[in-house]
Amino acid sequence: MPHQGADTVTTTDLHQRDDGELIEVILHAARHGDVEAMTRTAAEVSDMTRNWAAHIPWDDFAALDRSGADGELAQIVADLTEMWEPAHLHSPVDPDEEYALDKNAYDFYRPAGRNLLARTEDFYGWVQARRRTETWQYSRVLEAAPDSVAQITNDLGRRTRGINFNSQDYLSFNTHPAIREAATRAMRDYGPHSAGSPMVLGNTRISDELEVALGELVGLEHVTLFPTGWAAGFGAVVGLVRQSDHVLIDRLAHSCLQQGARAATRNVVRYEHLNVEAVRQHLVDIRSHDTRNGILVVTDGLFSVDADWPDLVTLQRVCREHDATLLVDVAHDLGSMGPGGTGVLGMQNLLGEVDIVMGAFSKTFCSNGGFVASNSPALKQYVKMFGGSHFFSNALSPVQTAVVREAARIIRSPEGDELRARLFTAIHALRDELTGRGLTCMGEPSPIVPLLIGNEKLARTANRLLFDRGVLAFMVEFPVTPTGSSRFRLQVQAGHGPEEAREAARIIEGAIADSRAYLSSAFGSAPR
Amino acid sequence: MYDAIVVGARCAGASTALLLARQGHRVLVVDRSSFPSDVISTHFLWPHGMSYLNRWGLLDQVTAVTPTHTTIDIVNDGIRLTGSVPTDLLREHFRDLHGDDSGVVQSYASVRRRVLDEILVEAAAKAGAEVRTNFTVRELIVSDGRVVGVRGRAADGQVFEERARIVVGADGRNSFVARALDLPKYDERPRCTFAYWSYWSGFDLGSGQIHRRGRLGCAVVPTNFAQNMVLVWGPSEWSREFRADVPGNTQRALDFVSPELGEVVRTRGTREERIYGTLDQSAFLRPLHGPGWVLVGDAESAKDQCTAIGMTHAFRDAELVSAALGRWLTGETSIDESMAAYEGRRRSQNAAAYYDYVCTFAEMRPYRHDELQLFVALRGNQEETDRFIATHADVAPVSEFFQASNLFLLNDAAKESSAGYAVFDDFAATSRMYQQNLFA
Ligand SMILES: Cc1cc2nc3c(=O)[nH]c(=O)nc-3n(C[C@H](O)[C@H](O)[C@H](O)COP(=O)(O)OP(=O)(O)OC[C@H]3O[C@@H](n4cnc5c(N)ncnc54)[C@H](O)[C@@H]3O)c2cc1C
Ligand SMILES: Cc1ncc(COP(=O)(O)O)c(C=O)c1O
């Protein structure tokens, strides 16, 4: 009963010595075998501490062998010392390693000071600590064409060679003879340079053909090219959305879309990943107080580090019901999956049905570049004028345009089906082997195989081990993924043999197991 | 022969015994203490901790004698955030972890352990568990590599031996069960805080106050007996110097972290008990289960006090393990499946992220420029302030708040600038000053 507690409160004496002082006395007495003093002092130790340190035989000190021959006194000294000595004193750590494993990039996002140059030093110190500890996964360079195997150098100048899941070339076009031939031909016909914005004289006849081919692939006639996929996403959003408009964006949509939304308006709502019902509720909410302004709903098709996709049929319908416009980024799925390479749109029977589609060529089409497509010639002209990254940026080079046009042709041909079949054989081999080894592959079978790690420390040390073990895999952490859900993003190519994929899975599992042992970590990777 | 013997009868143990007994299992729960009694803890219960008590029908008993509030003040280097844990996040938390969201309450409280643990033990007894206090387990009975029971000694010296299908180690950080099984520790994080606290009467500030400045923190929370739990904490590296003058340094820390709170305590407060303290708070995980045994509460994983979460986590463990064991005891699943389900929840990604959050926090480094700027950005943004508080308390997943797109948006939505806060005046000099041991 609580009121009994009220009685006992008066029994504690305000002037009793604190437990730290008493324990020092006990320690001193224990070292001298003075069990009487230990017993006397133990009686003064608070209930709080006695009930907490239940491993100390507080009530039995009198019965201890004062000679210490049985080791019990020594055990008590050790246990009490452990309680009153800062624990880190007896387990020293490498400060570089601690610093490198501890921070994340966001800790440096708002540096202090008015000197813009000097205040980057703090971040640089962390980068250097991660480099010294070989846990910096960024800025590695290729020594040769990135095939299913690649040779690379890290930014400390160390080389390695491995099965390559670090390049995005889903249909292995980079080594395809017809693609290379297209590049050579364009080089011969037009030279390396486009020499202007597409609004001026940067485009060639090939650009027009490419726009037509892409329009046929997604079923939307009016296509605009951009110099990168990033520019396409950013340009589409800022081209259309104004200050008083609203953007509803999937929390995990690509950075170019998030940044575009932030640049366009303060009215940005990030909705729960893939949750169409949440979109509907937000739309109802916005429309209940704003019937005048536009709403752009933004999502990826295949999500680039989660390998899942939304129910676009419902999403598009919900948008129409509330006079909202849908923009879908098909950077990863177009060309690499779906019937005839039509990606998630084709898989959901939505060719020609989505308001606005954008994509990037950098994953499957073997080049820089991106596009925005819709059924509206007016929208096309508008985005060209007001999406700054189209108007005010040099056009794709003739070589790039020719490569993408050839890639689009192969993607839609029977050979494209064959390449996608090979790609998916490798994908299944990789996912099955990883899953069979107790690891967690996120999302659905697709060219992106996200292997969940979770904890950043584990991911960074596993990545360090992997470097020398013959697998190249990109470790993603904040800001690409939320804190605490880092992962390896494995990007599969049609050129990967299934046995190669299985071999890689074995190696990865070994590196994770060793890294877990190194950190002595007991955490698994179930999400909740 | 019992279905389960639970060693330890406080937040983890009494709750586990209570829930198993309510399912109709034969349960023995023992503790070497008698009740009511205290154990080291500053005994703050976040709303999900209170919600567990409510789910078990015990909350009214607690609130009848304990002040409760829903909004809390968190003040970092003078930047004040006031908020509460939102109900929808609480519901989501319970649905995710336990599959149902009944009984959610938004209030928090600071409940003396002599009050709370007594309520738990009595509830366990009332539910039909056999409770033996003043009973120390001194040996695990092992047969064919399986724990099958316990031997121990009652206060009068009498020796007991009891057997059960499973032994639950709920015996705290220094778990006897873990020692007897020679279990290793994983994910050890030696850096932690020292904490000193006591109980002051004479003032009532309303809601709870948690303040941080430099490498020190303090909290003042109303608790039972018309008193306030007043706590100061700092990095364990500074503990030796702090200990040289515990009462003096307690006041010095209060004055440094929050001059206003320091003044209230000095001029209006009367200390009612001695000052308690510890720095034995390094974090670790132990293996969760094995043949014939399973661990809950601090025995399975202890963390620093700095986010005041251990008791709530002990409640969470009790609900998870009793649900898992219940399925096994009734023959619905194998023990392996049941323990895998428990382990899946307890060693999840979210759990790992929060563990990292606490352990990093416990290093008590001065807040970085970035972190303080974030607090400024949160001011006036109630929804995200509340989400931040919920994240800090392990109601909402760390990964949902600390997500690039969210943090960038928080920036964009900022209503206040940092101009009014002294800490930003000469940030570099202030940070250097913060590194100096205040008690040296
Ligand atoms: C300074 C400090 C402040 C804290 N503040 C907070 C806070 O504000 N909020 C919060 O939620 N958490 C807090 N915690 C953490 C919290 O106190 C613990 O997480 C919580 O007490 C764990 O409960 P438990 O039941 O697992 O173990 P305990 O409460 O430690 O109980 C273990 C029980 O097992 C018994 N026992 C041990 N060995 C045996 C044996 N051989 N035989 C029989 N019985 C045995 C002991 O007598 C004891 O009663 C704090 C911790 C510290 C150190
Ligand atoms: C979903 C998504 N959209 C857009 C882009 C940007 O494309 P690019 O790299 O071609 O600029 C990427 C690639 O990073 C992406 O993953």
Side-chain angles (χ1 to χ4, degrees), chain A residues 1-22 24 44-60 75 79 82-89 91 93 98-99 102-103 106-113 122 250-252 258-259 262-263 266 268-270 272 452-457 478-487 519-528, chain B residues 10 32-41 61 65 92 96-97 112 114-115 118-119 122 138 153 171 173-174 179 185-192 196-197 199 225 227 236-237 239-240 243 246 271-282 285-286 298 343-353 355-356 360 363 365 368-371 373-374 377 387 397-400 402-409 411-415 427:
Chain A
M1 284 287 116
H3 63 263
Q4 288 173 347
D7 298 338
T8 52
V9 79
T10 55
T11 64
T12 21
D13 183 345
L14 173 60
H15 301 294
Q16 279 164 321
R17 291 180 282 178
D18 84 85
D19 293 327
E21 207 176 326
L22 297 167
E24 259 169 48
E44 267 189 67
V45 171
S46 74
D47 246 18
M48 290 253 191
T49 294
R50 291 159 64 100
N51 291 335
W52 168 255
H55 58 313
I56 309 287
W58 303 102
D59 297 322
D60 302 331
Q75 183 62 50
D79 285 343
E82 192 185 314
M83 281 170 60
W84 286 92
E85 279 287 320
H88 69 276
L89 294 180
S91 39
V93 289
E98 192 180 41
Y99 192 50
D102 223 45
K103 295 262 145 256
Y106 191 75
D107 292 326
F108 305 92
Y109 180 62
R110 281 175 282 219
D122 196 23
D250 187 291
R251 272 185 204 172
L252 303 182
Q258 306 276 359
Q259 304 260 9
R262 293 177 63 209
R266 294 190 88 168
V268 179
V269 175
R270 303 159 52 252
E272 188 190 338
L452 185 59
I453 305 289
N455 184 274
E456 286 79 8
K457 292 184 172 68
F478 191 96
V480 183
T481 60
T483 308
S485 61
S486 58
R487 62 201 69 158
L519 293 172
S520 145
S521 177
F523 283 110
S525 59
R528 299 281 180 188
Chain B
R10 293 188 186 270
R32 59 188 285 291
S33 326
S34 60
F35 297 88
S37 63
D38 276 323
V39 69
I40 280 201
S41 183
Q61 254 176 291
V65 294
E92 215 173 302
D96 280 348
L97 262 183
R112 282 295 288 257
R114 63 178 65 180
V115 174
E118 168 86 345
I119 291 173
E122 288 199 349
R138 313 190 93 194
R153 199 182 63 176
D171 46 353
R173 175 182 179 90
N174 299 300
R179 282 167 184 252
K185 289 180 177 171
Y186 297 116
D187 294 272
E188 284 186 87
R189 303 290 164 78
R191 286 186 200 282
C192 61
Y196 281 88
W197 71 100
Y199 301 90
F225 320 122
Q227 294 172 356
S236 62
E237 297 101 282
S239 61
R240 210 179 298 239
R243 240 157 56 203
V246 170
R271 177 154 62 82
E272 302 288 353
E273 292 183 36
R274 73 171 111 179
I275 297 178
Y276 304 99
T278 186
L279 53 110
D280 185 20
Q281 302 195 69
S282 60
L285 263 58
R286 289 198 176 104
D298 273 13
E343 174 141 14
R345 290 286 149 86
R346 284 301 302 114
R347 299 293 183 250
S348 69
Q349 243 194 103
N350 278 352
Y355 185 84
D356 256 8
T360 304
E363 293 174 16
R365 285 182 291 219
R368 303 175 56 84
H369 191 260
D370 202 87
E371 294 167 302
Q373 293 274 336
L374 172 66
R387 185 197 300 281
V398 172
S399 58
E400 285 188 9
F402 292 98
Q403 197 174 98
S405 57
N406 191 41
L407 295 170
F408 291 138
L409 274 191
N411 264 356
D412 299 347
K415 296 204 169 69
F427 191 79

Side-chain angles (χ1 to χ4, degrees), chain A residues 51-52 54, chain B residues 7-13 30-33 35 39-45 113 117 135-138 170-176 195 197 278 280-281 296-299 303 305 308-312 314:
Chain A
N51 291 335
W52 168 255
Chain B
V7 185
R10 293 188 186 270
C11 292
V30 303
D31 200 299
R32 59 188 285 291
S33 326
F35 297 88
V39 69
I40 280 201
S41 183
T42 54
H43 45 74
F44 182 83
L45 281 178
R113 297 295 293 269
D117 295 359
F135 182 104
T136 308
V137 173
R138 313 190 93 194
D171 46 353
R173 175 182 179 90
N174 299 300
S175 168
F176 168 81
W197 71 100
T278 186
D280 185 20
Q281 302 195 69
V296 288
D298 273 13
K303 293 172 297 300
Q305 58 77 33
I309 198 68
M311 293 153 64
T312 297

Side-chain angles (χ1 to χ4, degrees), chain B residues 8 96 104 119 125 152 187 189 224 227 236 322-323 328 330 340 345 368 376 382 384 393 412 421 437 440:
Chain B
D96 280 348
V104 160
I119 291 173
D187 294 272
R189 303 290 164 78
N224 310 97
Q227 294 172 356
S236 62
S322 58
W328 165 63
T330 53
R345 290 286 149 86
R368 303 175 56 84
V376 173
Q382 197 57 49
E384 289 301 319
D412 299 347
Y421 297 99
N437 185 341

Side-chain angles (χ1 to χ4, degrees), chain B residues 22 40 82 94 117 142 145 175 230 292 319 358 370 383 432:
Chain B
R22 283 198 183 154
I40 280 201
T82 304
F94 279 94
D117 295 359
V142 178
S175 168
V230 178
E319 244 193 54
V358 174
D370 202 87
E383 191 180 341
R432 273 196 305 279

